[in-house]
Structure formats: C-alpha cells, structure tokens
Amino acid sequence: MSSITNVGGFLTFPNKPYIFASNNGSADVAAGNQLTNFTSQFSNGITHSSGTFTVPIAGLYQIHYGAIAQATGTSGAFGIALRINDTQVSRIAYGS
C-alpha cells in the first residue's frame, strides 16, 4: 500500500484496506479463549487467521462487532475484549 499523493493537482489514494468477517454459526467459547472461526465475506488487504486480523499498514481503523451472547455456568458472566498484539486495549462488552 502506498500513501496519498498529489499527481497533477489530483489526489490519488492507495487501496483502502477493509474486511467483513462473520462467525461460522454459534460458538461455545470457554473462559479465556478467543473466537477463531470467522469467514471472510469480502476483504481488501486485511487478512485473518485463528481469530487474529492483520492489517497491511498502520493507521486508524473503525471496528464494529455485534453479538448475541448467553452466559452459562455458575458465574453467569461473559465478556468480549479487543486485543492488539495480545494486549487488551478495550473491553467491548461485559455482562452477568
């Protein structure tokens, strides 16, 4: 990917990376595990493998996540976290 450039007074933009991925149906995820079964519906430049999404260039990305979740077990709690390079940067959802 390249940067935005000015060519003869016109701005040219690099290919804009994007991905639309969906879960392959229902998932039963144990505490501490990550969702890994995604299918890429369409994408440009962003890849995914084993629940990890890789972007081709550094930048600001919009991430949208939607889920219907039901906790099981004695605690009745669930959570979803956004991680960058294995470091949690945000708790997206938490319920009990």
Coordinates of all heavy atoms in Angstrom, one line a residue:
M1 N 0.8 -1.2 0.0 CA 0.0 0.0 0.0 C 0.9 1.2 0.0 O 1.9 1.3 0.6 CB -0.9 0.0 1.2 CG -1.8 -1.2 1.4 SD -3.4 -0.8 1.0 CE -4.2 -2.4 0.9
S2 N 0.5 2.2 -0.7 CA 1.2 3.5 -0.7 C 0.5 4.6 0.0 O -0.5 4.4 0.6 CB 1.5 3.9 -2.2 OG 0.2 4.0 -2.9
S3 N 1.0 5.8 -0.1 CA 0.4 6.9 0.6 C -0.4 7.7 -0.4 O -0.4 7.6 -1.6 CB 1.5 7.8 1.3 OG 2.3 8.3 0.3
I4 N -1.2 8.7 0.2 CA -1.9 9.6 -0.7 C -0.9 10.6 -1.3 O 0.0 11.1 -0.7 CB -2.9 10.5 0.2 CG1 -3.9 9.5 0.9 CG2 -3.6 11.5 -0.6 CD1 -4.8 10.2 1.9
T5 N -1.1 10.7 -2.6 CA -0.1 11.6 -3.4 C -0.9 12.6 -4.2 O -2.1 12.4 -4.6 CB 0.8 10.7 -4.3 OG1 0.0 10.0 -5.2 CG2 1.6 9.8 -3.5
N6 N -0.2 13.7 -4.6 CA -0.8 14.7 -5.5 C -0.1 14.5 -6.9 O 1.1 14.6 -7.1 CB -0.4 16.1 -4.9 CG -1.0 17.2 -5.8 OD1 -1.3 17.0 -7.0 ND2 -1.2 18.3 -5.2
V7 N -1.0 14.1 -7.8 CA -0.5 13.9 -9.2 C -1.2 14.9 -10.1 O -2.4 14.8 -10.4 CB -0.8 12.4 -9.7 CG1 -0.3 12.2 -11.1 CG2 -0.1 11.5 -8.7
G8 N -0.5 15.9 -10.5 CA -1.1 16.9 -11.5 C -2.3 17.6 -10.9 O -3.2 17.9 -11.6
G9 N -2.3 17.8 -9.6 CA -3.4 18.5 -8.9 C -4.5 17.6 -8.5 O -5.5 18.1 -7.9
F10 N -4.4 16.3 -8.7 CA -5.4 15.4 -8.3 C -4.8 14.5 -7.2 O -3.7 14.0 -7.3 CB -5.8 14.5 -9.5 CG -6.5 15.2 -10.6 CD1 -5.8 15.7 -11.7 CD2 -7.9 15.5 -10.5 CE1 -6.5 16.4 -12.7 CE2 -8.6 16.2 -11.5 CZ -7.9 16.7 -12.6
L11 N -5.6 14.2 -6.2 CA -5.1 13.3 -5.1 C -5.4 11.9 -5.6 O -6.5 11.6 -6.1 CB -5.9 13.6 -3.8 CG -5.6 15.0 -3.2 CD1 -6.4 15.1 -1.9 CD2 -4.1 15.1 -2.9
T12 N -4.4 11.1 -5.4 CA -4.6 9.6 -5.6 C -4.5 8.9 -4.3 O -3.6 9.3 -3.4 CB -3.5 9.1 -6.6 OG1 -2.2 9.3 -6.0 CG2 -3.6 9.8 -7.9
F13 N -5.4 8.0 -4.0 CA -5.4 7.3 -2.8 C -5.0 5.8 -3.0 O -5.3 5.2 -4.0 CB -6.9 7.3 -2.2 CG -7.4 8.6 -1.8 CD1 -7.9 9.5 -2.8 CD2 -7.3 9.1 -0.5 CE1 -8.4 10.7 -2.4 CE2 -7.7 10.3 -0.2 CZ -8.3 11.2 -1.1
P14 N -4.3 5.3 -2.0 CA -4.0 3.9 -2.0 C -5.2 3.0 -1.9 O -6.3 3.5 -1.5 CB -3.0 3.7 -0.8 CG -3.5 4.7 0.1 CD -3.9 5.9 -0.7
N15 N -5.1 1.7 -2.2 CA -6.2 0.9 -1.9 C -6.5 0.9 -0.4 O -5.6 0.9 0.4 CB -5.9 -0.6 -2.3 CG -5.8 -0.8 -3.7 OD1 -6.5 -0.1 -4.5 ND2 -5.0 -1.7 -4.2
K16 N -7.8 1.1 -0.1 CA -8.2 1.2 1.3 C -8.5 -0.2 1.9 O -9.4 -0.9 1.4 CB -9.4 2.1 1.5 CG -9.1 3.5 1.0 CD -10.3 4.4 1.1 CE -10.0 5.8 0.6 NZ -11.2 6.7 0.4
P17 N -7.8 -0.6 2.9 CA -8.0 -1.9 3.5 C -9.3 -2.0 4.2 O -9.7 -1.1 4.9 CB -6.8 -2.2 4.4 CG -6.3 -0.8 4.7 CD -6.7 0.1 3.6
Y18 N -10.0 -3.1 4.0 CA -11.3 -3.4 4.7 C -11.5 -4.9 4.8 O -10.9 -5.7 4.1 CB -12.5 -2.7 4.1 CG -12.7 -3.2 2.6 CD1 -13.4 -4.3 2.4 CD2 -12.2 -2.5 1.6 CE1 -13.6 -4.7 1.1 CE2 -12.3 -2.9 0.3 CZ -13.1 -4.0 0.0 OH -13.3 -4.4 -1.3
I19 N -12.4 -5.3 5.7 CA -12.8 -6.7 5.8 C -14.2 -6.8 6.4 O -14.5 -5.9 7.2 CB -11.8 -7.6 6.6 CG1 -12.1 -9.0 6.4 CG2 -11.8 -7.2 8.1 CD1 -11.1 -10.0 6.9
F20 N -15.0 -7.7 5.9 CA -16.2 -8.0 6.5 C -16.2 -9.5 6.8 O -16.1 -10.3 5.9 CB -17.4 -7.7 5.6 CG -18.8 -8.2 6.2 CD1 -19.4 -7.4 7.1 CD2 -19.3 -9.4 5.9 CE1 -20.6 -7.8 7.7 CE2 -20.5 -9.8 6.5 CZ -21.1 -9.0 7.4
A21 N -16.1 -9.8 8.1 CA -16.0 -11.2 8.5 C -17.2 -11.6 9.4 O -17.6 -10.7 10.2 CB -14.7 -11.4 9.3
S22 N -17.6 -12.8 9.3 CA -18.7 -13.2 10.2 C -18.3 -14.6 10.8 O -17.5 -15.3 10.3 CB -20.0 -13.4 9.4 OG -19.8 -14.3 8.3
N23 N -19.0 -14.8 11.9 CA -18.7 -16.1 12.7 C -19.4 -17.2 11.9 O -20.5 -17.0 11.4 CB -19.2 -15.9 14.1 CG -18.9 -17.1 15.0 OD1 -19.6 -18.1 14.9 ND2 -17.8 -17.0 15.7
N24 N -18.8 -18.4 12.0 CA -19.4 -19.5 11.3 C -20.5 -20.2 12.2 O -20.3 -21.3 12.6 CB -18.3 -20.6 11.0 CG -17.3 -20.1 10.1 OD1 -17.6 -19.2 9.3 ND2 -16.1 -20.6 10.1
G25 N -21.5 -19.5 12.5 CA -22.6 -20.0 13.3 C -22.4 -19.8 14.8 O -21.7 -18.9 15.2
S26 N -22.9 -20.7 15.6 CA -22.8 -20.5 17.0 C -21.4 -20.9 17.5 O -20.8 -21.8 16.9 CB -23.9 -21.3 17.8 OG -23.7 -22.6 17.5
A27 N -21.0 -20.4 18.6 CA -19.7 -20.7 19.2 C -19.9 -20.9 20.7 O -20.5 -20.1 21.3 CB -18.7 -19.6 18.9
D28 N -19.3 -21.9 21.2 CA -19.3 -22.2 22.6 C -17.8 -22.0 23.1 O -17.0 -22.8 22.8 CB -19.7 -23.6 22.9 CG -19.9 -23.9 24.4 OD1 -19.7 -22.9 25.2 OD2 -20.1 -25.0 24.8
V29 N -17.6 -20.8 23.7 CA -16.2 -20.4 24.0 C -16.0 -20.5 25.5 O -16.7 -19.8 26.3 CB -15.9 -19.0 23.5 CG1 -14.5 -18.6 23.7 CG2 -16.2 -19.0 22.0
A30 N -15.0 -21.2 25.9 CA -14.6 -21.3 27.3 C -13.9 -20.1 27.8 O -13.4 -19.3 27.0 CB -13.7 -22.5 27.6
A31 N -14.0 -19.8 29.1 CA -13.3 -18.6 29.6 C -11.9 -18.5 29.2 O -11.1 -19.5 29.3 CB -13.4 -18.6 31.2
G32 N -11.5 -17.3 28.8 CA -10.1 -17.0 28.4 C -9.8 -17.4 27.0 O -8.7 -17.1 26.5
N33 N -10.6 -18.1 26.3 CA -10.4 -18.4 24.9 C -10.9 -17.4 24.0 O -11.7 -16.6 24.3 CB -11.0 -19.8 24.6 CG -10.4 -20.9 25.3 OD1 -9.3 -20.8 25.9 ND2 -11.1 -22.1 25.3
Q34 N -10.4 -17.4 22.7 CA -10.9 -16.4 21.7 C -11.7 -17.1 20.6 O -11.5 -18.3 20.4 CB -9.7 -15.7 21.2 CG -8.7 -16.5 20.3 CD -7.6 -15.7 19.8 OE1 -7.7 -14.5 19.7 NE2 -6.5 -16.3 19.4
L35 N -12.5 -16.3 20.0 CA -13.3 -16.8 18.9 C -12.3 -16.9 17.7 O -11.5 -15.9 17.4 CB -14.4 -15.8 18.5 CG -15.5 -15.6 19.5 CD1 -16.4 -14.5 19.1 CD2 -16.3 -16.9 19.6
T36 N -12.3 -18.0 17.0 CA -11.4 -18.2 15.9 C -12.1 -18.6 14.6 O -11.4 -18.6 13.6 CB -10.4 -19.3 16.3 OG1 -11.1 -20.5 16.6 CG2 -9.5 -18.9 17.5
N37 N -13.3 -18.9 14.7 CA -14.0 -19.5 13.5 C -14.7 -18.4 12.7 O -15.9 -18.3 12.7 CB -14.9 -20.6 13.8 CG -15.9 -20.2 14.9 OD1 -15.8 -19.3 15.6 ND2 -17.0 -21.0 15.0
F38 N -14.0 -17.5 12.0 CA -14.5 -16.5 11.2 C -14.4 -16.8 9.7 O -13.5 -17.5 9.3 CB -13.8 -15.1 11.4 CG -14.1 -14.5 12.7 CD1 -13.2 -14.7 13.8 CD2 -15.2 -13.7 12.9 CE1 -13.5 -14.1 15.0 CE2 -15.5 -13.2 14.2 CZ -14.6 -13.3 15.2
T39 N -15.4 -16.3 8.9 CA -15.3 -16.5 7.5 C -15.3 -15.1 6.9 O -16.1 -14.2 7.3 CB -16.6 -17.2 6.9 OG1 -16.6 -18.5 7.5 CG2 -16.5 -17.2 5.4
S40 N -14.3 -14.8 6.0 CA -14.2 -13.5 5.4 C -15.2 -13.5 4.2 O -15.2 -14.2 3.3 CB -12.8 -13.3 4.8 OG -12.7 -12.1 4.1
Q41 N -16.2 -12.5 4.3 CA -17.2 -12.4 3.3 C -16.7 -11.6 2.1 O -16.9 -12.0 1.0 CB -18.5 -11.7 3.9 CG -19.1 -12.4 5.1 CD -19.6 -13.8 4.8 OE1 -20.1 -14.0 3.7 NE2 -19.5 -14.6 5.7
F42 N -15.9 -10.6 2.4 CA -15.2 -9.8 1.4 C -14.1 -9.0 2.1 O -14.3 -8.6 3.2 CB -16.1 -8.9 0.5 CG -17.1 -8.1 1.2 CD1 -16.7 -6.9 1.7 CD2 -18.4 -8.6 1.4 CE1 -17.6 -6.1 2.4 CE2 -19.3 -7.8 2.1 CZ -18.9 -6.5 2.6
S43 N -13.0 -8.8 1.4 CA -11.9 -8.0 2.0 C -11.0 -7.4 1.0 O -11.0 -7.8 -0.2 CB -11.1 -8.9 3.0 OG -10.4 -9.9 2.2
N44 N -10.2 -6.5 1.4 CA -9.1 -5.9 0.6 C -8.0 -5.6 1.5 O -8.0 -4.6 2.2 CB -9.7 -4.6 -0.1 CG -8.6 -4.0 -1.0 OD1 -7.8 -4.7 -1.6 ND2 -8.6 -2.7 -1.0
G45 N -6.9 -6.4 1.5 CA -5.7 -6.1 2.2 C -5.7 -6.6 3.6 O -4.6 -6.8 4.2
I46 N -6.8 -6.8 4.3 CA -6.8 -7.3 5.7 C -7.0 -8.8 5.6 O -7.8 -9.3 4.9 CB -7.9 -6.6 6.5 CG1 -7.6 -5.1 6.6 CG2 -8.0 -7.3 7.9 CD1 -8.7 -4.4 7.4
T47 N -6.2 -9.5 6.4 CA -6.3 -11.0 6.4 C -6.6 -11.4 7.9 O -6.5 -10.7 8.8 CB -5.0 -11.7 6.0 OG1 -3.9 -11.2 6.9 CG2 -4.6 -11.3 4.6
H48 N -7.1 -12.7 8.0 CA -7.3 -13.2 9.3 C -6.9 -14.7 9.4 O -7.0 -15.4 8.4 CB -8.8 -13.0 9.8 CG -9.7 -13.8 9.0 ND1 -10.1 -15.1 9.5 CD2 -10.4 -13.6 7.9 CE1 -11.0 -15.6 8.6 NE2 -11.2 -14.7 7.6
S49 N -6.5 -15.1 10.6 CA -6.1 -16.5 10.8 C -6.2 -16.8 12.3 O -5.7 -16.0 13.1 CB -4.7 -16.7 10.3 OG -4.3 -18.1 10.6
S50 N -6.9 -17.8 12.6 CA -7.0 -18.2 14.1 C -7.5 -17.1 15.0 O -7.0 -16.9 16.1 CB -5.7 -18.8 14.6 OG -5.3 -19.9 13.8
G51 N -8.5 -16.3 14.5 CA -9.0 -15.2 15.3 C -8.2 -13.9 15.3 O -8.6 -13.0 16.0
T52 N -7.1 -13.9 14.6 CA -6.3 -12.7 14.6 C -6.4 -12.0 13.2 O -6.3 -12.7 12.2 CB -4.8 -13.1 14.8 OG1 -4.6 -13.7 16.1 CG2 -3.9 -11.8 14.7
F53 N -6.8 -10.7 13.2 CA -6.9 -10.0 12.0 C -5.6 -9.1 11.8 O -5.2 -8.5 12.7 CB -8.1 -9.0 12.1 CG -9.4 -9.8 12.0 CD1 -9.9 -10.3 13.2 CD2 -10.1 -10.0 10.9 CE1 -11.1 -11.0 13.2 CE2 -11.3 -10.7 10.8 CZ -11.8 -11.2 12.0
T54 N -5.0 -9.2 10.6 CA -3.8 -8.5 10.3 C -4.0 -7.4 9.3 O -4.6 -7.7 8.2 CB -2.7 -9.5 9.8 OG1 -2.6 -10.5 10.8 CG2 -1.4 -8.8 9.6
V55 N -3.6 -6.2 9.6 CA -3.8 -5.0 8.7 C -2.5 -4.7 8.0 O -1.4 -4.9 8.6 CB -4.4 -3.8 9.4 CG1 -5.7 -4.1 10.0 CG2 -3.4 -3.3 10.5
P56 N -2.5 -4.3 6.8 CA -1.3 -4.1 6.0 C -0.5 -2.9 6.3 O 0.7 -2.8 6.1 CB -1.8 -4.1 4.5 CG -3.2 -3.5 4.6 CD -3.7 -4.1 5.9
I57 N -1.2 -1.8 6.9 CA -0.5 -0.6 7.2 C -1.0 0.0 8.5 O -2.1 -0.3 8.9 CB -0.6 0.5 6.1 CG1 -2.1 0.8 5.8 CG2 0.1 0.1 4.8 CD1 -2.4 1.9 4.8
A58 N -0.1 0.7 9.2 CA -0.5 1.3 10.5 C -1.5 2.4 10.1 O -1.5 3.0 9.1 CB 0.7 1.9 11.2
G59 N -2.5 2.6 11.0 CA -3.4 3.7 10.8 C -4.6 3.6 11.8 O -4.5 2.8 12.7
L60 N -5.6 4.4 11.5 CA -6.8 4.4 12.3 C -7.8 3.6 11.6 O -8.2 3.8 10.5 CB -7.3 5.9 12.5 CG -8.4 6.1 13.4 CD1 -8.2 5.7 14.8 CD2 -8.8 7.6 13.3
Y61 N -8.4 2.6 12.3 CA -9.3 1.7 11.8 C -10.6 1.7 12.6 O -10.6 1.8 13.8 CB -8.8 0.2 11.7 CG -7.7 0.0 10.7 CD1 -6.4 0.3 11.0 CD2 -8.0 -0.4 9.4 CE1 -5.4 0.2 10.1 CE2 -7.0 -0.5 8.5 CZ -5.7 -0.3 8.8 OH -4.7 -0.4 7.9
Q62 N -11.8 1.6 11.9 CA -13.0 1.5 12.6 C -13.4 0.0 12.7 O -13.3 -0.7 11.8 CB -14.1 2.2 11.8 CG -15.5 2.1 12.5 CD -16.6 2.8 11.7 OE1 -16.3 3.7 11.0 NE2 -17.8 2.3 11.9
I63 N -13.7 -0.4 13.9 CA -14.1 -1.8 14.2 C -15.5 -1.8 14.7 O -15.8 -1.1 15.7 CB -13.1 -2.4 15.2 CG1 -11.7 -2.4 14.6 CG2 -13.5 -3.8 15.6 CD1 -10.6 -2.8 15.6
H64 N -16.3 -2.7 14.1 CA -17.7 -2.9 14.6 C -17.8 -4.4 14.9 O -17.4 -5.2 14.1 CB -18.7 -2.4 13.6 CG -20.1 -2.8 13.9 ND1 -20.8 -2.0 14.8 CD2 -20.9 -3.8 13.6 CE1 -22.0 -2.6 15.0 NE2 -22.0 -3.7 14.2
Y65 N -18.4 -4.6 16.1 CA -18.6 -6.0 16.5 C -20.0 -6.1 17.0 O -20.5 -5.3 17.8 CB -17.6 -6.4 17.5 CG -17.8 -7.9 18.0 CD1 -17.2 -8.9 17.3 CD2 -18.5 -8.2 19.1 CE1 -17.4 -10.2 17.7 CE2 -18.7 -9.5 19.6 CZ -18.1 -10.5 18.8 OH -18.3 -11.8 19.2
G66 N -20.8 -7.1 16.6 CA -22.1 -7.4 17.1 C -22.2 -8.8 17.5 O -21.7 -9.7 16.9
A67 N -22.9 -9.1 18.6 CA -23.1 -10.4 19.1 C -24.3 -10.6 19.9 O -24.8 -9.6 20.5 CB -21.9 -10.8 20.0
I68 N -24.8 -11.8 20.0 CA -25.9 -12.2 20.9 C -25.2 -13.2 21.8 O -24.7 -14.2 21.3 CB -27.1 -12.8 20.2 CG1 -27.7 -11.7 19.3 CG2 -28.1 -13.3 21.2 CD1 -28.8 -12.2 18.4
A69 N -25.2 -13.0 23.1 CA -24.4 -13.9 24.0 C -25.3 -14.3 25.1 O -26.2 -13.6 25.6 CB -23.2 -13.2 24.5
Q70 N -25.1 -15.5 25.5 CA -25.7 -16.1 26.7 C -24.7 -16.8 27.6 O -24.0 -17.7 27.1 CB -26.8 -17.1 26.3 CG -27.5 -17.7 27.5 CD -28.6 -18.7 27.0 OE1 -28.9 -18.8 25.8 NE2 -29.2 -19.4 28.0
A71 N -24.6 -16.3 28.8 CA -23.6 -16.9 29.7 C -24.2 -18.2 30.3 O -25.4 -18.4 30.5 CB -23.3 -16.0 30.8
T72 N -23.3 -19.2 30.5 CA -23.7 -20.4 31.1 C -22.8 -20.7 32.3 O -21.8 -20.1 32.5 CB -23.6 -21.6 30.1 OG1 -22.2 -21.7 29.7 CG2 -24.5 -21.4 28.9
G73 N -23.2 -21.6 33.1 CA -22.4 -22.0 34.3 C -22.8 -21.2 35.5 O -23.8 -20.5 35.5
T74 N -22.0 -21.3 36.6 CA -22.4 -20.8 37.9 C -22.2 -19.3 37.9 O -23.0 -18.6 38.6 CB -21.7 -21.4 39.0 OG1 -20.3 -21.3 38.8 CG2 -22.0 -22.9 39.1
S75 N -21.2 -18.7 37.2 CA -21.0 -17.3 37.4 C -22.0 -16.5 36.5 O -22.3 -15.4 36.9 CB -19.5 -16.9 36.9 OG -19.4 -17.1 35.5
G76 N -22.4 -17.0 35.4 CA -23.3 -16.3 34.5 C -22.7 -15.1 33.9 O -23.4 -14.2 33.5
A77 N -21.4 -14.9 33.8 CA -20.8 -13.8 33.3 C -20.1 -14.1 31.9 O -19.7 -15.2 31.7 CB -19.7 -13.2 34.3
F78 N -20.0 -13.0 31.1 CA -19.3 -13.2 29.8 C -18.7 -11.9 29.5 O -19.0 -10.8 30.0 CB -20.3 -13.6 28.7 CG -21.3 -12.6 28.3 CD1 -21.0 -11.6 27.3 CD2 -22.5 -12.5 29.0 CE1 -21.9 -10.7 27.0 CE2 -23.4 -11.5 28.7 CZ -23.1 -10.6 27.7
G79 N -17.7 -11.9 28.7 CA -17.0 -10.6 28.3 C -16.4 -10.8 26.9 O -16.1 -11.8 26.4
I80 N -16.3 -9.6 26.2 CA -15.6 -9.5 24.9 C -14.6 -8.4 25.0 O -14.9 -7.3 25.4 CB -16.6 -9.3 23.8 CG1 -17.7 -10.4 23.8 CG2 -15.9 -9.1 22.5 CD1 -18.9 -10.0 22.9
A81 N -13.4 -8.7 24.6 CA -12.3 -7.7 24.7 C -11.6 -7.6 23.3 O -11.5 -8.5 22.6 CB -11.3 -8.1 25.7
L82 N -11.2 -6.3 23.0 CA -10.4 -6.1 21.9 C -8.9 -6.1 22.3 O -8.5 -5.5 23.2 CB -10.7 -4.7 21.3 CG -9.9 -4.2 20.1 CD1 -10.0 -5.1 18.9 CD2 -10.2 -2.8 19.8
R83 N -8.1 -6.9 21.5 CA -6.7 -7.0 21.9 C -5.9 -6.6 20.6 O -6.3 -6.9 19.5 CB -6.4 -8.4 22.2 CG -7.2 -8.9 23.5 CD -6.9 -10.4 23.8 NE -5.5 -10.6 24.2 CZ -5.1 -10.5 25.5 NH1 -6.0 -10.2 26.4 NH2 -3.9 -10.7 25.8
I84 N -4.8 -5.9 20.8 CA -3.9 -5.5 19.8 C -2.5 -6.1 20.2 O -2.0 -5.8 21.3 CB -3.8 -4.0 19.6 CG1 -5.2 -3.5 19.1 CG2 -2.7 -3.7 18.6 CD1 -5.2 -2.0 18.9
N85 N -2.0 -6.9 19.4 CA -0.7 -7.6 19.7 C -0.7 -8.3 21.0 O 0.2 -8.1 21.8 CB 0.5 -6.7 19.5 CG 0.6 -6.1 18.1 OD1 0.3 -6.8 17.2 ND2 1.1 -4.9 18.0
D86 N -1.8 -9.0 21.3 CA -2.0 -9.8 22.6 C -2.1 -8.9 23.8 O -2.0 -9.4 24.9 CB -0.9 -10.8 22.7 CG -1.1 -12.0 21.8 OD1 -2.3 -12.3 21.5 OD2 -0.1 -12.6 21.4
T87 N -2.4 -7.6 23.6 CA -2.6 -6.7 24.8 C -4.0 -6.2 24.7 O -4.4 -5.6 23.7 CB -1.6 -5.5 24.7 OG1 -0.3 -6.0 24.8 CG2 -1.8 -4.6 25.9
Q88 N -4.8 -6.4 25.8 CA -6.1 -5.9 25.8 C -6.2 -4.4 25.8 O -5.5 -3.8 26.7 CB -6.9 -6.4 27.0 CG -8.3 -6.0 27.1 CD -9.1 -6.6 28.2 OE1 -8.9 -7.7 28.5 NE2 -10.1 -5.8 28.8
V89 N -6.9 -3.8 24.9 CA -6.9 -2.3 24.8 C -8.3 -1.8 25.1 O -8.5 -0.6 25.4 CB -6.5 -1.8 23.4 CG1 -5.0 -2.1 23.1 CG2 -7.3 -2.4 22.3
S90 N -9.3 -2.7 25.1 CA -10.7 -2.2 25.3 C -11.5 -3.4 25.7 O -11.4 -4.5 25.1 CB -11.3 -1.5 24.1 OG -12.6 -1.1 24.4
R91 N -12.4 -3.2 26.6 CA -13.5 -4.2 26.9 C -14.7 -3.8 26.1 O -15.3 -2.7 26.4 CB -13.8 -4.3 28.4 CG -14.9 -5.3 28.7 CD -15.3 -5.2 30.1 NE -14.3 -5.9 31.0 CZ -14.4 -5.9 32.3 NH1 -15.5 -5.4 32.9 NH2 -13.5 -6.5 33.0
I92 N -15.0 -4.6 25.1 CA -16.1 -4.2 24.2 C -17.5 -4.5 24.9 O -18.4 -3.7 24.8 CB -16.0 -5.0 22.9 CG1 -14.7 -4.6 22.2 CG2 -17.2 -4.7 22.0 CD1 -14.4 -5.4 21.0
A93 N -17.6 -5.6 25.6 CA -18.8 -6.0 26.2 C -18.6 -6.8 27.5 O -17.6 -7.5 27.6 CB -19.7 -6.8 25.3
Y94 N -19.4 -6.7 28.4 CA -19.4 -7.5 29.6 C -20.8 -7.6 30.2 O -21.5 -6.7 30.2 CB -18.4 -6.9 30.7 CG -18.3 -7.7 31.9 CD1 -17.4 -8.8 31.9 CD2 -19.1 -7.4 33.0 CE1 -17.3 -9.6 33.0 CE2 -18.9 -8.2 34.2 CZ -18.1 -9.3 34.2 OH -18.0 -10.1 35.3
G95 N -21.1 -8.8 30.6 CA -22.4 -9.0 31.2 C -22.4 -10.0 32.3 O -21.5 -10.8 32.4
S96 N -23.4 -10.0 33.1 CA -23.5 -11.0 34.1 C -25.0 -11.4 34.4 O -25.9 -10.7 33.9 CB -22.9 -10.5 35.4 OG -23.6 -9.3 35.9

